[in-house]
Amino acid sequence: TMSKKMTKGTIAITAGVVLLLGGAGTYALWEVNQPLDGTVQSGDLTLELGDAEWTLNGQPVGAVDEVRIVPGDTLALAQSLTVTAIGDDLAAQLAVDASALSGDPDLSEQLEVSLALPDTAWAEPAGDGAYAIAPAEEAYEALTAAVTIVFDEDTGGRTATNSVVDLSSVVFSLEQVPGN
């Protein structure tokens, strides 16, 4: 009788294990896999700066660090730059960002920074001193951008005297923007 009970118990355990295994597995029936056809490559968005020349009220400046501006002055940078904007559906914008202009706030609040590009087919004014950049197959020819820093001529009293701002905190910004 002992062996009958063991046999029945073994059969019950075996049946339980088979039920558990049967429910846990899935069976692959006919199946076909095919790879995607072709390759895709990414574009590029870069900005390279070349030679630069500073002027104060139209006169060449040797070292901009030594310039002392006064209300009404125009400090200008002629900056050679090369734009690469490669992408079939790329929408990009070039601007000068002076939002992080660091140094004495009395002086930075009196300065207006702007960007101007020469007429070119691939850069259209987009408002707020920014330019919409058209996508291309390769880098564009270098051009000379004009960054102008004007010290407000209506600055009165002794506002912003003996003050310093760090021009390296003003940056050229080339960035992808949401497309249409």
Side-chain angles (χ1 to χ4, degrees):
T1 62
M2 186 64 129
S3 68
K4 268 189 175 177
K5 282 185 178 180
M6 281 183 99
T7 304
K8 283 184 182 178
T10 305
I11 291 172
I13 290 172
T14 304
V17 169
V18 168
L19 286 174
L20 287 174
L21 290 177
T26 57
Y27 295 94
L29 301 177
W30 282 352
E31 182 178 328
V32 176
N33 295 307
Q34 290 290 337
L36 298 180
D37 186 27
T39 60
V40 68
Q41 41 186 320
S42 60
D44 192 8
L45 186 65
T46 59
L47 178 65
E48 294 177 33
L49 302 182
D51 294 336
E53 182 180 306
W54 286 98
T55 59
L56 177 62
N57 301 323
Q59 298 302 310
V61 170
V64 73
D65 292 349
E66 296 173 7
V67 172
R68 300 207 184 271
I69 58 175
V70 296
D73 277 351
T74 298
L75 185 62
L77 171 66
Q79 176 68 64
S80 171
L81 52 84
T82 303
V83 172
T84 303
I86 300 171
D88 293 347
D89 194 27
L90 178 65
Q93 199 168 68
L94 175 66
V96 166
D97 183 0
S99 63
L101 184 59
S102 64
D104 192 319
D106 287 343
L107 180 54
S108 61
E109 288 171 10
Q110 304 306 314
L111 301 178
E112 182 180 328
V113 180
S114 60
L115 170 67
L117 297 180
D119 286 340
T120 179
W122 53 267
E124 292 290 323
D128 291 334
Y131 288 81
I133 305 300
E137 294 296 316
E138 58 187 28
Y140 288 111
E141 288 290 320
L143 56 71
T144 300
V147 177
T148 306
I149 303 170
V150 177
F151 194 159
D152 187 351
E153 64 184 10
D154 295 329
T155 304
R158 291 190 36 81
T159 302
T161 59
N162 294 314
S163 299
V164 176
V165 292
D166 182 1
L167 295 179
S168 69
S169 59
V170 178
V171 296
F172 284 98
S173 168
L174 177 64
E175 59 186 21
Q176 182 178 355
V177 294
N180 296 334

